[in-house]
Amino acid sequence: LGISILSSSIGTINVNYNRINTLSSTAAITSVGISMGTITTQNIYNNKIYDSSGNNAGTLISGINVSGGTTVTIYNNIIGDLRATAATGLDAIRGIYANGISTFNIYYNTIYLNATSSGATFGNSCITFLSTATALNLRNNVLVNLSTPGTNASNLASNGVAACLRRSTGTGGTVPANYATTSNNNAYWCNPTAGTNNHETYVEGLVAAVTNPKNTLANMKAFMVNRDQLSVTENPTFLSTTGSSANYLHIDPTVITQLESGAVNIAGIT
């Protein structure tokens, strides 16, 4: 663990301006950059998390994992270079894991995954949220997943996929009620040229089976009806994908992009 706060009697906890990197393990354990438990109000912002790795079949890695609280706001974080080279889990890597019954406000984060594994059922997600979460309000994020899922990933029902956004359990083909209607203005990229069955903008299921895949943003928009309608799909040009660089996952300002002025202001957040 990089930072872990399991519980606190203090009403509000802020975790900000940290650089967390070079976490590694050879055991079947969960590696987390920032792990937060039962804290009523949490603000997790302006953190840089990168270079977290494990080489065990049971490896699970999360950049940020929140498992409690009432209102959780996660914004302006940079997360990437998460690796699980032997993992077999269907969702073995999660940039952000909204793992609780909280209201999650996730704004202005950049998450970049480019992982591989020898595990045939390996899968991962930029953001995973539980079906029990009160709400996920996802706005103004850049979610890029260039990962290669496991070799059996063509069997979507029982094997891993590389996803931008994942809900923990299926909704039977109906819009997930806890994915807030305010969710919008995100940028998604999930390497669609690499295949259709194992690279998904949105997918459901993380333990036993994967369902309801939406392999393009257009498919996701059609399914979500009134969510993400102003979101875009783009593989942005970053100044650097090397974690130690001061320009890590900063957008190249010389390249024309849909990200320029593509967000919508959120009161109280710069």
Side-chain angles (χ1 to χ4, degrees):
L1 296 174
I3 295 174
S4 177
I5 305 175
L6 297 180
S7 63
S8 175
S9 59
I10 299 173
T12 300
I13 292 289
N14 298 314
V15 180
N16 52 70
Y17 294 99
N18 300 283
R19 184 177 70 179
I20 301 168
N21 62 284
T22 322
L23 304 176
S24 64
S25 175
T26 58
I29 63 172
T30 300
S31 174
V32 184
I34 297 174
S35 178
M36 303 291 285
T38 307
I39 300 148
T40 301
T41 302
Q42 305 176 36
N43 300 301
I44 305 168
Y45 60 96
N46 289 85
N47 299 286
K48 179 179 178 180
I49 302 169
Y50 67 95
D51 188 16
S52 182
S53 64
N55 62 0
N56 189 284
T59 295
L60 293 173
I61 293 178
S62 295
I64 296 173
N65 183 345
V66 178
S67 58
T70 301
T71 302
V72 179
T73 304
I74 303 172
Y75 63 96
N76 283 342
N77 298 286
I78 293 176
I79 301 170
D81 193 18
L82 310 181
R83 308 182 306 279
T85 55
T88 58
L90 296 185
D91 198 28
I93 297 175
R94 300 150 178 165
I96 295 176
Y97 188 20
N99 174 24
I101 61 172
S102 313
T103 293
F104 292 95
N105 301 312
I106 300 181
Y107 307 143
Y108 297 112
N109 301 282
T110 299
I111 301 174
Y112 177 84
L113 301 182
N114 192 5
T116 61
S117 173
S118 58
T121 55
F122 168 70
N124 57 35
S125 309
C126 291
I127 294 178
T128 296
F129 68 107
L130 291 191
S131 57
T132 54
T134 301
L136 171 64
N137 183 11
L138 191 69
R139 301 174 63 186
N140 303 333
N141 299 279
V142 178
L143 308 178
V144 178
N145 194 340
L146 303 181
S147 300
T148 301
T151 54
N152 288 344
S154 58
N155 181 1
L156 187 62
S158 60
N159 293 287
V161 301
C164 289
L165 179 63
R166 182 188 302 256
R167 190 176 187 266
S168 61
T169 58
T171 59
T174 60
V175 179
N178 65 336
Y179 187 46
T181 57
T182 48
S183 298
N184 215 341
N185 298 92
N186 300 293
Y188 299 96
W189 186 262
C190 216
N191 203 22
T193 59
T196 56
N197 289 338
N198 54 359
H199 293 82
E200 310 293 341
T201 301
Y202 172 78
V203 73
E204 296 171 349
L206 55 82
V207 177
V210 171
T211 62
N212 201 21
K214 308 301 175 190
N215 69 323
T216 66
L217 180 59
N219 290 340
M220 179 181 171
K221 285 182 176 182
F223 171 68
M224 292 297 184
V225 183
N226 58 349
R227 300 154 172 86
D228 276 304
Q229 297 305 303
L230 296 178
S231 294
V232 300
T233 183
E234 182 170 347
N235 186 8
T237 301
F238 295 110
L239 289 174
S240 175
T241 56
T242 301
S244 58
S245 170
N247 290 320
Y248 182 53
L249 301 188
H250 290 195
I251 304 300
D252 188 340
T254 66
V255 177
I256 296 174
T257 173
Q258 298 175 90
L259 277 61
E260 171 61 37
S261 301
V264 172
N265 291 339
I266 298 174
I269 297 179
T270 301

Coordinates of all heavy atoms in Angstrom, one line a residue, residues 216-262:
T216 N -17.9 0.1 -28.6 CA -17.6 1.5 -29.1 C -18.4 2.5 -28.3 O -19.4 2.2 -27.6 CB -18.1 1.6 -30.6 OG1 -19.5 1.5 -30.6 CG2 -17.5 0.5 -31.4
L217 N -17.9 3.7 -28.3 CA -18.6 4.8 -27.6 C -20.0 5.0 -28.1 O -21.0 5.3 -27.4 CB -17.8 6.1 -27.6 CG -18.4 7.3 -26.9 CD1 -18.6 7.0 -25.4 CD2 -17.5 8.5 -27.1
A218 N -20.2 4.8 -29.5 CA -21.5 5.0 -30.1 C -22.5 4.0 -29.5 O -23.6 4.3 -29.2 CB -21.4 4.8 -31.6
N219 N -22.0 2.7 -29.3 CA -22.9 1.7 -28.7 C -23.2 2.0 -27.2 O -24.3 1.8 -26.8 CB -22.2 0.3 -28.7 CG -22.1 -0.2 -30.1 OD1 -22.9 0.2 -31.0 ND2 -21.2 -1.1 -30.4
M220 N -22.2 2.6 -26.5 CA -22.4 2.9 -25.1 C -23.4 4.1 -25.0 O -24.3 4.1 -24.2 CB -21.1 3.3 -24.5 CG -21.2 3.8 -23.0 SD -19.6 4.3 -22.3 CE -20.2 5.0 -20.8
K221 N -23.3 5.1 -25.9 CA -24.2 6.2 -25.9 C -25.7 5.7 -26.2 O -26.6 6.2 -25.5 CB -23.8 7.2 -26.9 CG -22.6 8.1 -26.5 CD -22.3 9.1 -27.6 CE -21.1 10.0 -27.2 NZ -20.9 11.1 -28.2
A222 N -25.8 4.8 -27.1 CA -27.1 4.3 -27.4 C -27.7 3.6 -26.2 O -28.9 3.7 -26.0 CB -27.1 3.4 -28.6
F223 N -26.9 2.9 -25.5 CA -27.4 2.1 -24.4 C -27.7 3.0 -23.2 O -28.7 2.9 -22.5 CB -26.3 1.1 -24.0 CG -26.6 0.4 -22.6 CD1 -27.7 -0.5 -22.5 CD2 -25.8 0.6 -21.5 CE1 -28.0 -1.1 -21.3 CE2 -26.1 0.0 -20.3 CZ -27.2 -0.9 -20.2
M224 N -26.8 4.0 -22.9 CA -27.0 4.9 -21.8 C -28.1 6.0 -22.0 O -28.5 6.6 -21.0 CB -25.6 5.6 -21.5 CG -24.6 4.6 -21.0 SD -25.0 3.9 -19.4 CE -23.5 3.0 -19.0
V225 N -28.5 6.2 -23.1 CA -29.6 7.1 -23.5 C -29.3 8.5 -23.2 O -29.1 9.4 -24.1 CB -30.9 6.6 -22.8 CG1 -32.1 7.6 -23.3 CG2 -31.2 5.2 -23.2
N226 N -29.2 8.9 -21.9 CA -29.0 10.3 -21.5 C -27.8 10.5 -20.6 O -27.7 11.4 -19.8 CB -30.3 10.8 -20.7 CG -30.6 10.0 -19.5 OD1 -30.0 8.9 -19.3 ND2 -31.6 10.4 -18.7
R227 N -26.8 9.7 -20.8 CA -25.5 9.8 -20.1 C -24.4 9.8 -21.2 O -24.5 9.1 -22.2 CB -25.3 8.7 -19.1 CG -26.4 8.6 -18.0 CD -26.5 7.2 -17.5 NE -27.3 7.0 -16.3 CZ -28.6 6.8 -16.3 NH1 -29.3 6.8 -17.5 NH2 -29.3 6.7 -15.2
D228 N -23.4 10.5 -20.9 CA -22.2 10.5 -21.8 C -22.5 10.9 -23.3 O -21.8 10.6 -24.2 CB -21.5 9.1 -21.8 CG -20.6 8.9 -20.7 OD1 -19.7 9.8 -20.5 OD2 -20.7 8.0 -19.9
Q229 N -23.6 11.7 -23.5 CA -23.9 12.0 -24.8 C -22.9 13.1 -25.5 O -22.9 13.2 -26.7 CB -25.3 12.5 -24.9 CG -26.4 11.5 -24.5 CD -26.3 10.2 -25.3 OE1 -26.4 10.3 -26.5 NE2 -26.1 9.1 -24.6
L230 N -22.2 13.8 -24.6 CA -21.2 14.7 -25.1 C -19.8 14.2 -25.0 O -18.8 14.9 -25.2 CB -21.4 16.1 -24.4 CG -22.7 16.8 -24.7 CD1 -22.7 18.1 -23.9 CD2 -22.9 17.1 -26.2
S231 N -19.7 13.0 -24.5 CA -18.3 12.3 -24.4 C -17.8 12.0 -25.8 O -18.5 11.9 -26.8 CB -18.4 11.1 -23.6 OG -18.8 11.4 -22.2
V232 N -16.5 11.8 -25.9 CA -15.8 11.6 -27.2 C -14.9 10.3 -27.1 O -14.6 9.9 -26.0 CB -15.0 12.8 -27.6 CG1 -15.9 14.0 -27.8 CG2 -13.8 13.1 -26.6
T233 N -14.5 9.8 -28.2 CA -13.6 8.8 -28.3 C -12.3 9.3 -29.0 O -12.4 9.8 -30.1 CB -14.1 7.5 -29.0 OG1 -13.2 6.5 -28.9 CG2 -14.5 7.8 -30.4
E234 N -11.2 9.1 -28.3 CA -9.9 9.6 -28.9 C -8.7 9.0 -28.1 O -8.8 8.8 -26.9 CB -9.9 11.1 -28.8 CG -8.6 11.7 -29.4 CD -8.6 13.2 -29.5 OE1 -9.7 13.8 -29.3 OE2 -7.6 13.8 -29.8
N235 N -7.7 8.6 -28.9 CA -6.4 8.2 -28.3 C -5.5 9.4 -28.3 O -4.9 9.7 -29.2 CB -5.8 7.1 -29.1 CG -4.6 6.5 -28.5 OD1 -4.3 6.8 -27.4 ND2 -3.9 5.6 -29.2
P236 N -5.5 10.1 -27.1 CA -4.8 11.4 -27.1 C -3.2 11.2 -27.2 O -2.7 10.2 -26.8 CB -5.2 12.0 -25.8 CG -5.5 10.8 -24.9 CD -6.1 9.8 -25.8
T237 N -2.6 12.3 -27.7 CA -1.1 12.3 -27.7 C -0.6 12.9 -26.4 O -0.9 14.1 -26.1 CB -0.6 13.2 -28.9 OG1 -1.2 12.6 -30.1 CG2 0.9 13.2 -28.9
F238 N 0.1 12.1 -25.6 CA 0.7 12.5 -24.4 C 2.1 13.0 -24.6 O 2.8 12.5 -25.4 CB 0.7 11.4 -23.4 CG -0.7 10.9 -22.9 CD1 -1.1 9.7 -23.3 CD2 -1.5 11.7 -22.2 CE1 -2.4 9.2 -22.9 CE2 -2.8 11.3 -21.8 CZ -3.2 10.1 -22.2
L239 N 2.5 14.0 -23.8 CA 3.9 14.5 -23.9 C 4.8 13.4 -23.4 O 6.0 13.3 -23.9 CB 4.1 15.7 -23.0 CG 3.4 17.0 -23.6 CD1 3.5 18.1 -22.5 CD2 4.1 17.4 -24.9
S240 N 4.4 12.6 -22.4 CA 5.2 11.5 -21.9 C 4.3 10.4 -21.3 O 3.3 10.7 -20.7 CB 6.2 12.0 -20.9 OG 6.9 10.9 -20.3
T241 N 4.7 9.1 -21.5 CA 4.1 8.0 -20.9 C 5.1 7.4 -19.9 O 4.9 6.2 -19.5 CB 3.6 7.0 -21.9 OG1 4.7 6.6 -22.7 CG2 2.5 7.6 -22.7
T242 N 6.1 8.1 -19.5 CA 7.1 7.6 -18.5 C 6.8 8.3 -17.2 O 6.8 9.5 -17.1 CB 8.6 8.0 -19.0 OG1 8.9 7.5 -20.2 CG2 9.6 7.6 -17.9
G243 N 6.5 7.5 -16.2 CA 6.0 8.0 -15.0 C 6.8 9.0 -14.3 O 6.3 9.9 -13.6
S244 N 8.1 8.9 -14.3 CA 9.0 9.8 -13.6 C 9.1 11.2 -14.3 O 9.6 12.1 -13.7 CB 10.4 9.2 -13.5 OG 10.9 8.9 -14.8
S245 N 8.5 11.3 -15.5 CA 8.6 12.6 -16.2 C 7.6 13.6 -15.6 O 6.5 13.2 -15.2 CB 8.3 12.4 -17.7 OG 8.1 13.6 -18.3
A246 N 8.1 14.8 -15.6 CA 7.2 15.9 -15.1 C 6.0 16.1 -16.0 O 5.0 16.7 -15.6 CB 8.0 17.2 -15.0
N247 N 6.1 15.6 -17.3 CA 5.0 15.7 -18.3 C 4.2 14.4 -18.4 O 3.5 14.3 -19.4 CB 5.6 16.1 -19.6 CG 6.2 17.5 -19.7 OD1 5.6 18.4 -19.1 ND2 7.3 17.7 -20.3
Y248 N 4.3 13.6 -17.4 CA 3.6 12.3 -17.5 C 2.1 12.5 -17.7 O 1.5 13.1 -16.9 CB 3.9 11.5 -16.2 CG 3.3 10.1 -16.2 CD1 3.5 9.2 -17.2 CD2 2.5 9.7 -15.1 CE1 3.0 7.9 -17.2 CE2 1.9 8.4 -15.1 CZ 2.2 7.6 -16.1 OH 1.6 6.3 -16.1
L249 N 1.6 11.9 -18.8 CA 0.2 11.9 -19.1 C -0.4 13.3 -19.3 O -1.6 13.5 -19.1 CB -0.6 11.1 -18.1 CG -0.2 9.6 -18.0 CD1 -1.2 8.9 -17.2 CD2 -0.1 8.9 -19.4
H250 N 0.5 14.3 -19.6 CA 0.0 15.6 -19.9 C -0.3 15.6 -21.4 O 0.5 15.1 -22.2 CB 1.1 16.7 -19.6 CG 1.2 16.9 -18.1 ND1 1.9 18.0 -17.6 CD2 0.8 16.2 -17.1 CE1 1.9 18.0 -16.3 NE2 1.3 16.9 -15.9
I251 N -1.3 16.3 -21.8 CA -1.7 16.3 -23.2 C -0.8 17.2 -24.0 O -0.5 18.3 -23.6 CB -3.2 16.8 -23.4 CG1 -4.1 15.9 -22.5 CG2 -3.6 16.8 -24.8 CD1 -4.1 14.4 -22.9
D252 N -0.4 16.8 -25.2 CA 0.5 17.6 -26.0 C -0.3 18.7 -26.6 O -1.3 18.6 -27.4 CB 1.0 16.7 -27.2 CG 2.1 17.4 -28.0 OD1 2.1 18.7 -28.0 OD2 2.8 16.7 -28.7
P253 N 0.0 20.0 -26.2 CA -0.8 21.1 -26.6 C -0.6 21.5 -28.1 O -1.3 22.3 -28.6 CB -0.2 22.3 -25.7 CG 1.2 21.9 -25.4 CD 1.2 20.4 -25.4
T254 N 0.4 20.9 -28.8 CA 0.6 21.2 -30.2 C -0.3 20.3 -31.1 O -0.3 20.6 -32.4 CB 2.1 21.0 -30.6 OG1 2.4 19.6 -30.5 CG2 3.0 21.8 -29.7
V255 N -1.0 19.4 -30.6 CA -1.8 18.4 -31.4 C -3.2 18.8 -31.2 O -3.7 18.9 -30.1 CB -1.5 17.0 -31.0 CG1 -2.4 16.0 -31.7 CG2 -0.1 16.6 -31.1
I256 N -3.9 19.0 -32.3 CA -5.4 19.3 -32.3 C -6.1 18.1 -31.7 O -5.9 16.9 -32.1 CB -5.9 19.6 -33.7 CG1 -5.2 20.8 -34.2 CG2 -7.4 19.7 -33.7 CD1 -5.6 21.1 -35.7
T257 N -7.0 18.3 -30.7 CA -7.7 17.3 -30.0 C -9.1 17.7 -29.6 O -9.3 18.8 -29.4 CB -6.8 16.8 -28.8 OG1 -7.6 15.9 -28.0 CG2 -6.5 18.0 -27.9
Q258 N -9.9 16.7 -29.5 CA -11.3 16.9 -29.0 C -11.3 17.3 -27.5 O -12.2 17.8 -27.0 CB -12.2 15.7 -29.2 CG -12.4 15.3 -30.6 CD -13.1 14.0 -30.7 OE1 -14.3 14.0 -30.8 NE2 -12.4 12.9 -30.7
L259 N -10.2 17.0 -26.8 CA -10.1 17.3 -25.4 C -10.0 18.8 -25.1 O -10.4 19.2 -24.1 CB -8.9 16.6 -24.8 CG -9.0 15.1 -24.4 CD1 -9.4 14.2 -25.6 CD2 -7.8 14.6 -23.7
E260 N -9.5 19.5 -26.1 CA -9.3 21.0 -25.9 C -10.7 21.6 -25.8 O -11.6 21.5 -26.6 CB -8.6 21.6 -27.1 CG -8.7 23.1 -27.1 CD -8.0 23.7 -25.9 OE1 -7.0 23.2 -25.4 OE2 -8.5 24.8 -25.4
S261 N -11.0 22.2 -24.6 CA -12.3 22.8 -24.3 C -13.4 21.8 -24.3 O -14.6 22.2 -24.5 CB -12.6 24.0 -25.2 OG -11.5 25.0 -25.2
G262 N -13.1 20.6 -24.1 CA -14.2 19.5 -24.2 C -14.8 19.3 -22.9 O -15.8 18.5 -22.8

